[in-house]
Amino acid sequence: DQQVKQNSPSLSVQEGRISILNCDYTNSMFDYFLWYKKYPAEGPTFLISISSIKDKNEDGRFTVFLNKSAKHLSLHIVPSQPGDSAVYFCAARLNTNAGKSTFGDGTTLTVKP
Amino acid sequence: KAGVTQTPRYLIKTRGQQVTLSCSPISGHRSVSWYQQTPGQGLQFLFEYFSETQRNKGNFPGRFSGRQFSNSRSEMNVSTLELGDSALYLCASSPGTGGFHEQYFGPGTRLTVT
């Protein structure tokens, strides 16, 4: 049973446009959600997070939205840049369990110049 | 601060052998977790260590084991390697076991089993 799902394996957008990456989860106990970005031959790096008490968190070009009733979160990147091309992983966990995150399978974002 | 380091970066082993991977967390971080990433897959949680004790364990067979030392450095061991163990093994550290903060990942060890 995959508790965190990213249904789009890949996404291609034009530079300057908005990128929207989606993630669904099934475990209603999750109360902290994170997005990581991964380049080839590197480990994932943290991008942005949101706790379950919020529905939006913004950091520069990156915004994460959380819809608890739908068990859905999304990452918006505006404007998209070629350097954003990478694999994006959605992760979820319990606030009390920082060392155990459940990850989605990732979405490969390609931003075309 | 130096980041999370993992050694070796690449490893080729033969089926049936065993392997030990090493991870040094960020200074001051006491929680170390291990994840396995196979092609096209997300990160699968292996286990987490905190203060030299295994705190969480994922759904992997007993061939996968780990430990943590008093300086928070961690090792994971895979015995009787199978072809399906070929993967990127990632180590992540965090300051503690709870709270709203992220994990910091190392570059990973690419294990190939032939």
Side-chain angles (χ1 to χ4, degrees):
Chain A
D1 175 33
Q2 193 167 8
Q3 297 189 58
V4 178
K5 287 184 180 179
Q6 295 177 254
N7 291 317
S8 298
S10 63
L11 175 67
S12 182
V13 300
Q14 209 63 36
E15 181 179 6
R17 305 295 291 268
I18 183 171
S19 295
I20 300 176
L21 295 90
N22 294 302
C23 178
D24 297 295
Y25 63 96
T26 57
N27 188 343
S28 58
M29 298 297 292
F30 288 144
D31 56 6
Y32 193 48
F33 305 88
L34 309 95
W35 286 93
Y36 288 86
K37 177 179 176 181
K38 187 179 185 299
Y39 293 115
E42 294 183 12
T45 55
F46 170 74
L47 197 56
I48 193 169
S49 63
I50 189 168
S51 73
S52 59
I53 61 173
K54 295 184 176 181
D55 54 18
K56 177 183 174 181
N57 188 28
E58 200 169 349
D59 183 2
R61 297 186 297 113
F62 303 91
T63 304
V64 56
F65 295 92
L66 175 62
N67 183 332
K68 281 180 293 184
S69 60
K71 295 191 182 66
H72 176 84
L73 64 155
S74 61
L75 173 68
H76 292 210
I77 307 173
V78 183
S80 301
Q81 299 173 353
D84 295 330
S85 298
V87 179
Y88 288 78
F89 290 99
C90 167
R93 65 169 174 85
L94 302 176
N95 170 38
T96 53
N97 219 346
K100 183 182 179 183
S101 289
T102 301
F103 284 80
D105 288 346
T107 296
T108 300
L109 173 66
T110 303
V111 181
K112 298 180 177 178
Chain B
K1 275 186 179 178
V4 177
T5 58
Q6 292 187 245
T7 56
R9 292 292 310 276
Y10 302 91
L11 205 50
I12 299 175
K13 289 286 188 178
T14 303
R15 193 170 45 181
Q17 289 185 315
Q18 75 164 13
V19 67
T20 298
L21 312 180
S22 181
C23 170
S24 292
I26 290 174
S27 177
H29 285 193
R30 296 169 63 194
S31 169
V32 175
S33 300
W34 290 89
Y35 294 86
Q36 180 197 66
Q37 185 188 14
T38 49
Q41 299 292 309
L43 284 66
Q44 304 295 317
F45 175 77
L46 280 156
F47 28 66
E48 178 202 5
Y49 286 87
F50 181 79
S51 293
E52 302 178 66
T53 302
Q54 188 179 86
R55 192 167 178 269
N56 284 295
K57 190 177 190 309
N59 189 25
F60 278 81
R63 301 185 296 106
F64 292 81
S65 63
R67 59 177 175 168
Q68 186 181 34
F69 302 94
S70 58
N71 61 358
S72 293
R73 190 177 69 85
S74 176
E75 289 180 348
M76 68 163 281
N77 183 276
V78 188
S79 62
T80 320
L81 284 165
E82 299 177 359
L83 295 178
D85 296 333
S86 294
L88 180 67
Y89 290 88
L90 292 158
C91 168
S93 75
S94 56
T97 58
F100 294 117
H101 52 75
E102 68 273 25
Q103 289 181 295
Y104 295 81
F105 284 84
T109 294
R110 171 75 61 186
L111 171 65
T112 302
V113 182
T114 61

